[in-house]
Amino acid sequence: MKVVVVESPAKAKTINKYLGRDYEVLASFGHIRDLPAKDGSVDPEADFHMLWELDERGSKRVSDIVKALKGADGLILATDPDREGEAISWHVVEALTARRALKGMPVERVTFNAITKSAVDTAMRNPRQIDQALVDAYLARRALDYLVGFNLSPVLWRKLPGARSAGRVQSVALRLVCEREREIEVFKPREYWSLVATLVTETGAVFEARLTGADGKKIQRLDIGNGADAAAFKRDLELATFSVASVEAKPAKRHPAPPFTTSTLQQEASRKLGMAPAQTMRAAQKLYEGVEIGGETVGLITYMRTDGVDMAPEAIADARRVIAKEYGERYLPAAPRKYSTKAKNAQEAHEAVRPTDMGRLPKTVARTVDAEQAKLYELIWTRTVASQMESAELERTTVDVTAAVGPRKLELRATGQVVKFDGFLTLYQEGKDDEEDEDGKRLPPMKAGDALKRERIASTQHFTEPPPRYSEASLVKRMEELGIGRPSTYAAILQTLRDREYVKIEKKRLVAEDKGRLVTGFLESFFKRYVEYDFTAELEGQLDRVSNAEIDWREVLREFWKDFSAAIAGTKELRVTEVLDALNDLLGAHIFPEKADGSNPRTCPTCGSGQLSLKLGKFGAFVGCSNYPECKYTRQLAATGVEGDGDGSSENGGQPGTRVLGTDPVSGLAVTVRDGRFGPFVQLGEASTDKEAAKPKRSSIPKGLSPSAVDLEKALKLLSLPREVAKHPETGEPILANLGRFGPYVQHGKMYANLGRDDDVLEIGANRAIDIIVAKEQGGGRRGPAADPGRPLGAHPESGKPIVVKSGKYGPYVTDGTTNATLPKTLASEDIALPQALELIAAREAAGGSKKKAPARKAAGAKTAGTKAPAKKAAAKKAAPPEGDATPKAAAKKAPAKAAAKTSASKTSAAKPAAKTAVRKKA
């Protein structure tokens, strides 16, 4: 018997069926070790020695593998076929070696690009050893991300309060978004005019032609720059005689796009399906791991992290058979199509993302997967099949028209395009970002010399527009063009920028938040080299050379650290005033937008003599007057309105981070939105210096409601909470709606019930409030916030128990009534489907947490240190930062208390029994 290790339980279950009784397949649940989130985990002084931590979950996984290896004939590592998968296998071997579990046992590495029986069988017949070059590239990347995050982020905290973190790749992606924002701000619209003639042929057909030249000179798009010139051209055209100068029809072909890479899949899923990159990768992971079809569990697509666009010969032959069968021989080219990647620094020589079986049509698959996965599979299937179809045949026609008015000749042009044979377009057309539609109109028949009649002349004013903000799709495309990041990192980078509140999404576009712009401005001013695109791409190229065994990974780190550590040291003497001056200059167009009257935008509107400047306060950055404290004018970072009318000013001594909304019509007091220690809130009036005076009324802003979206009306509603919604049908007592520590809720006496995700505390009606309270009462729940009744996902295929997703105190989770499994941060409760829920529950059961535990205080008569310690430990546990965004945590201060548990791999296993014994004695 041999032991096989893969990443996920779903993958383990499928492969176990393929291999049979002679194999035991176990899941590592991803990485079993990581760098502890504290200073010193990578030590440049010790030639970049890395201190790995085997956490509780990872230790359980290793123990399971050690147990399975007793009496086994060998270990097979079958993790994913990329750099990250190679690293997971390496970590498993290192941890097992530390436990002395291998003892000369043969260890083999196998990879397969698809989870199908034939692919797995082929892989098992062709084992290899762990590719140390790929592991070294992983180590270098992980160390670089750690060194940047854990050294640069503290500089941000000290010099730029309110900043969250910086990352090696994350900060460069953020710079792209912020640079586009600056381009938009400094953009000056330019006026131009277009003239279009509607003309009629001799047979009565109507078409349009655009003015393109006059007196032998070409007229470009911006050449007619004012209304007077446009009016002169229009006058001449209205007097002119029109005739056809020439007609030219040219055949053309449009070729299909290659099959998907990770990047192009994320782009197309964003354009066509509205799916965020992280959402796309979750769905693709499920399709890769497979579903049960016809009694057999099978992977539906090949591995989804790849730069490759090529396909295996058998896959191409499969696609051609489907094309001939479904669309006919006319749509099948004479020879198979071959593609090569154009991505900068392309690596990971895998196949493109494609279906494992082209004959498995989307309509068939849709019956076995959820709606999101079905849409993504259809997108992958159509793109793959279309890539092997015949080209589309077009005819592009150009008609030049002469307009004669006296001795003057004006030139006009009409263009049209006709699809003669749709080819691959019958199945698929690639989406585009920010691109004008081609002129696909058909032109009527005409020939040179034909006279034309004028129907009307249109003169239209236009203004040039700034470059559009990036969508998630176009940002991924730009990052790929620049060689920034890799297929496995795009989704994580974008998610990190959103989680850090550096960017937000408005109308499917990425908008840089003030916090993100300040971080980028700081890095560009004092760490410019490390956010340069060429430098980052070059570093990625160095990592690729490491993966090809061309250079030593520690040499890459030494070269990087020499200059980077010097740059960090150079900021020790950096004064905050220098930081502010640099940001004032760099972000001037954003912080001090031009005024309509042309006056100096930095002149204080209150005192008239002071200069406005960026300042740093307890809650972040704000704009204040240089005459402080005599002049107490402040406003939020971005001025968004008319001075003194809701633009965030506080001329009468308001605090930084304050936006004035207006006046309460009842009390006459000012209503403001403010940044607080625990988040944004609204406030009525100002705090008094008299300690005996009552505090001003305040209300927090509900999660999901942006502070910028709060107007006077909403603020007054929030300040009116709690509000009576209804009377209880039995007691007649009021049911109140209010905001609490854990979010919005309704209350009847001492009974509290949390509102659902779709309920609005300001709008909830009587019927809904009564339903929530009655449901809570009938459930016999404890006093306090109610448990979410949850959304049913379906029944467990084995136990028949209902699977439900619920909202809990610590976030959404799935449950079968016995086992509760918390959802990952990247997965929203509304996105989860039954297969994902089953996997999370299985993982939770495997981790040994299958039963809901009663609170410790119920078992003991009093609160003791022994009963409370586990809860505190669980609450304090920190997840290691993701690749590309290593961030130091406050937990570093607690390192002494955790020293026994957080050591190198070999020490961890030895320390844990002692730690457990100590806890038992204490209890």
Side-chain angles (χ1 to χ4, degrees):
M1 193 267 295
K2 291 187 177 182
V3 176
V4 181
V5 176
V6 297
E7 294 96 328
S8 72
K11 190 174 176 182
K13 184 178 179 182
T14 303
I15 294 174
N16 215 10
K17 288 183 178 180
Y18 294 157
L19 297 179
R21 296 180 179 179
D22 293 335
Y23 297 85
E24 182 176 357
V25 186
L26 300 176
S28 71
F29 291 85
H31 281 282
I32 60 169
R33 304 193 306 177
D34 203 353
L35 296 172
K38 64 179 182 180
D39 193 23
S41 294
V42 178
D43 188 359
E45 300 301 320
D47 204 16
F48 304 97
H49 173 72
M50 302 172 77
L51 186 69
W52 297 102
E53 175 187 83
L54 189 69
D55 62 14
E56 185 177 349
R57 180 189 61 79
S59 182
K60 177 68 168 60
R61 301 277 72 75
V62 173
S63 296
D64 291 342
I65 298 171
V66 169
K67 183 178 179 182
L69 284 174
K70 291 179 179 178
D73 300 324
L75 173 66
I76 299 175
L77 304 163
T79 50
D80 286 342
D82 61 2
R83 188 182 294 157
E84 207 71 17
E86 207 74 19
I88 292 172
S89 289
W90 175 79
H91 277 300
V92 169
V93 170
E94 290 288 299
L96 292 175
T97 301
R99 294 272 185 101
R100 299 180 180 177
L102 296 178
K103 298 178 182 177
M105 181 178 292
V107 178
E108 297 175 326
R109 172 84 169 105
V110 301
T111 59
F112 33 83
N113 196 42
I115 303 180
T116 61
K117 193 172 191 318
S118 61
V120 172
D121 288 344
T122 301
M124 290 296 176
R125 291 194 298 268
N126 298 279
R128 60 172 174 81
Q129 297 301 305
I130 289 178
D131 188 332
Q132 190 59 44
L134 284 180
V135 174
D136 289 347
Y138 158 81
L139 294 174
R141 183 183 297 276
R142 193 70 187 87
L144 283 170
D145 293 335
Y146 174 93
L147 290 171
V148 171
F150 274 79
N151 288 278
L152 191 51
S153 294
V155 176
L156 284 175
W157 298 345
R158 291 193 299 269
K159 308 299 181 182
L160 199 66
R164 297 284 295 278
S165 71
R168 183 179 63 85
V169 183
Q170 161 210 318
S171 298
V172 183
L174 178 60
R175 182 188 172 191
L176 280 169
V177 178
C178 293
E179 278 193 343
R180 180 57 54 88
E181 209 69 38
R182 285 204 292 270
E183 289 175 29
I184 294 171
E185 286 169 350
V186 301
F187 179 80
K188 304 292 184 185
R190 182 174 170 183
E191 179 186 9
Y192 68 98
W193 291 72
S194 64
L195 287 104
V196 177
T198 302
L199 305 172
V200 183
T201 67
E202 293 176 343
T203 59
V206 179
F207 69 99
E208 291 182 346
R210 185 180 299 272
L211 180 66
T212 59
D215 306 319
K217 294 182 180 179
K218 293 289 184 183
I219 294 178
Q220 303 296 334
R221 187 172 70 112
L222 302 178
D223 286 351
I224 306 175
N226 56 68
D229 290 347
F233 278 117
K234 183 179 181 182
R235 183 173 58 251
D236 286 347
L237 288 171
E238 287 175 338
L239 298 173
T241 301
F242 295 86
S243 62
V244 177
S246 65
V247 178
E248 184 179 26
K250 287 184 177 180
K253 283 191 174 184
R254 185 185 298 175
H255 305 296
F260 282 130
T261 62
T262 303
S263 167
T264 54
L265 175 62
Q266 291 176 3
Q267 293 171 47
E268 281 290 83
S270 177
R271 298 182 191 113
K272 285 185 160 61
L273 306 179
M275 293 170 63
Q279 189 180 1
T280 298
M281 297 310 288
R282 285 196 300 269
Q285 181 76 38
K286 297 301 178 186
L287 293 174
Y288 168 67
E289 291 176 347
V291 297
E292 190 168 312
I293 297 178
E296 180 186 5
T297 303
V298 62
L300 297 178
I301 65 171
T302 55
Y303 193 55
M304 61 285 163
R305 292 185 178 90
T306 175
D307 283 333
V309 291
D310 198 10
M311 294 198 301
E314 58 270 22
I316 294 175
D318 198 13
R320 288 174 63 82
R321 281 194 296 270
V322 170
I323 294 168
K325 179 182 177 182
E326 299 292 330
Y327 300 96
E329 295 292 336
R330 178 71 177 89
Y331 288 84
L332 189 65
R337 294 187 179 277
K338 294 287 185 180
Y339 296 96
S340 59
T341 185
K342 296 179 181 178
K344 188 176 182 180
N345 287 337
Q347 45 90 32
E348 315 288 13
H350 302 142
E351 278 192 81
V353 185
R354 63 166 177 85
T356 55
D357 181 356
M358 307 296 174
R360 196 172 284 121
L361 303 182
K363 61 184 178 183
T364 304
V365 170
R367 294 195 290 266
T368 62
V369 298
D370 64 33
E372 185 177 84
Q373 293 168 27
K375 290 177 183 177
L376 190 64
Y377 179 82
E378 182 177 14
L379 185 68
I380 294 169
W381 187 91
T382 53
R383 172 82 166 223
T384 305
V385 174
S387 72
Q388 288 298 322
M389 293 180 79
E390 188 60 89
S391 300
E393 296 176 4
L394 315 171
E395 184 180 80
R396 291 176 179 153
T397 305
T398 303
V399 177
D400 288 325
V401 175
T402 299
V405 51
R408 191 179 194 192
K409 287 188 178 180
L410 305 177
E411 298 164 8
L412 299 91
R413 174 167 289 180
T415 57
Q417 178 175 281
V418 177
V419 177
K420 293 290 190 181
F421 170 65
D422 57 4
F424 76 93
L425 293 176
T426 193
L427 180 61
Y428 183 85
Q429 185 162 347
E430 187 178 18
K432 300 290 182 183
D433 287 301
D434 314 316
E435 201 169 279
E436 294 182 2
D437 292 336
E438 288 188 83
D439 187 356
K441 294 179 289 186
R442 181 191 291 267
L443 293 175
M446 59 188 109
K447 62 182 183 299
D450 285 356
L452 301 171
K453 292 182 181 179
R454 180 193 72 254
E455 188 171 279
R456 63 180 175 273
I457 305 296
S459 174
T460 308
Q461 183 186 37
H462 308 273
F463 290 93
T464 54
E465 295 183 353
R469 291 186 173 100
Y470 286 108
S471 64
E472 289 188 297
S474 60
L475 182 60
V476 167
K477 183 178 180 181
R478 185 61 180 145
M479 290 169 63
E480 184 181 37
E481 290 170 349
L482 293 170
I484 297 168
R486 283 295 178 265
S488 60
T489 63
Y490 296 137
I493 289 168
L494 292 176
Q495 190 63 46
T496 298
L497 293 181
R498 295 174 67 177
D499 291 344
R500 296 283 183 266
E501 297 179 347
Y502 288 162
V503 302
K504 61 183 177 182
I505 296 215
E506 288 184 355
K507 298 178 180 179
K508 297 185 178 181
R509 296 284 170 170
L510 293 166
V511 181
E513 297 270 33
D514 288 340
K515 192 183 299 184
R517 300 197 64 172
L518 287 172
V519 169
T520 298
F522 177 84
L523 295 176
E524 284 187 287
S525 298
F526 303 102
F527 292 90
K528 186 173 182 179
R529 182 187 180 199
Y530 301 99
V531 289
E532 286 179 346
Y533 307 130
D534 289 345
F535 174 80
T536 307
E538 183 182 343
L539 196 53
E540 292 287 357
Q542 295 274 62
L543 295 174
D544 290 340
R545 292 183 63 199
V546 172
S547 67
N548 293 329
E550 296 175 13
I551 53 175
D552 180 64
W553 67 281
R554 282 191 171 88
E555 186 58 39
V556 174
L557 294 179
R558 292 184 200 110
E559 186 177 340
F560 173 86
W561 182 249
K562 181 177 65 175
D563 294 334
F564 182 71
S565 58
I568 293 290
T571 62
K572 291 181 179 178
E573 304 301 322
L574 185 64
R575 296 183 178 182
V576 173
T577 53
E578 295 177 71
V579 174
L580 295 178
D581 287 343
L583 294 177
N584 280 330
D585 292 339
L586 191 63
L587 302 178
H590 174 62
I591 304 173
F592 313 110
E594 293 183 359
K595 294 186 175 182
D597 61 4
S599 60
N600 185 356
R602 295 192 62 173
T603 300
C604 177
T606 299
C607 67
S609 60
Q611 288 286 299
L612 298 183
S613 174
L614 187 66
K615 297 183 181 295
L616 298 178
K618 184 178 180 181
F619 303 117
F622 64 97
V623 174
C625 180
S626 59
N627 285 339
Y628 180 85
E630 288 76 16
C631 178
K632 297 183 179 180
Y633 173 88
T634 61
R635 67 165 168 80
Q636 289 181 310
L637 182 56
T640 56
V642 180
E643 293 291 354
D645 184 20
D647 68 333
S649 60
S650 52
E651 299 92 328
N652 298 318
Q655 297 298 313
T658 299
R659 178 163 64 97
V660 180
L661 299 176
T663 303
D664 176 20
V666 177
S667 65
L669 297 175
V671 180
T672 54
V673 175
R674 300 172 182 243
D675 294 328
R677 182 181 176 187
F678 302 107
F681 63 93
V682 293
Q683 178 173 306
L684 179 65
E686 294 290 340
S688 173
T689 55
D690 185 357
K691 294 183 179 180
E692 302 297 324
K695 292 182 179 180
K697 186 171 178 58
R698 294 174 176 175
S699 175
S700 59
I701 295 176
K703 187 177 180 180
L705 177 60
S706 171
S708 61
V710 176
D711 54 17
L712 180 60
E713 181 182 1
K714 276 193 176 69
L716 291 174
K717 285 182 178 181
L718 288 170
L719 290 167
S720 70
L721 296 175
R723 67 183 183 92
E724 182 176 326
V725 180
K727 298 288 186 183
H728 194 281
E730 295 180 2
T731 67
E733 294 296 320
I735 295 176
L736 305 177
N738 201 0
L739 284 169
R741 181 181 176 187
F742 302 110
Y745 64 90
V746 287
Q747 173 190 357
H748 170 238
K750 294 184 179 180
M751 177 66 70
Y752 298 83
N754 287 346
L755 296 185
R757 180 183 290 271
D758 298 325
D759 294 316
D760 186 343
V761 69
L762 301 179
E763 305 294 339
I764 188 169
N767 292 338
R768 174 62 177 156
I770 292 171
D771 287 345
I772 294 174
I773 285 292
V774 170
K776 179 66 186 292
E777 290 173 339
Q778 292 176 347
R782 60 180 174 80
R783 292 177 180 177
D788 181 5
R791 176 171 66 88
L793 299 176
H796 196 291
E798 297 175 3
S799 66
K801 294 179 181 179
I803 307 298
V804 180
V805 59
K806 296 186 176 185
S807 297
K809 179 178 179 181
Y810 301 107
Y813 65 96
V814 290
T815 180
D816 62 358
T818 302
T819 302
N820 297 342
T822 304
L823 268 61
K825 189 175 180 182
T826 55
L827 183 60
S829 60
E830 63 267 21
D831 294 334
I832 193 169
L834 180 60
Q836 295 165 298
L838 292 173
E839 182 178 335
L840 289 170
I841 290 173
R844 181 61 181 154
E845 288 175 341
S850 60
K851 297 291 184 183
K852 288 187 268 187
K853 298 179 181 178
R857 67 183 65 180
K858 289 185 179 179
K863 298 177 182 178
T864 67
T867 58
K868 198 140 186 173
K872 286 185 177 180
K873 184 177 179 181
K877 189 179 291 183
K878 306 279 185 182
E883 181 176 349
D885 182 31
T887 310
K889 305 289 185 182
K893 296 179 181 178
K894 300 181 182 179
K898 298 183 179 181
K902 294 187 176 179
T903 61
S904 62
S906 60
K907 293 181 181 179
T908 302
S909 57
K912 282 193 175 293
K916 290 179 180 177
T917 303
V919 171
R920 285 196 207 101
K921 288 180 179 178
K922 194 172 185 180

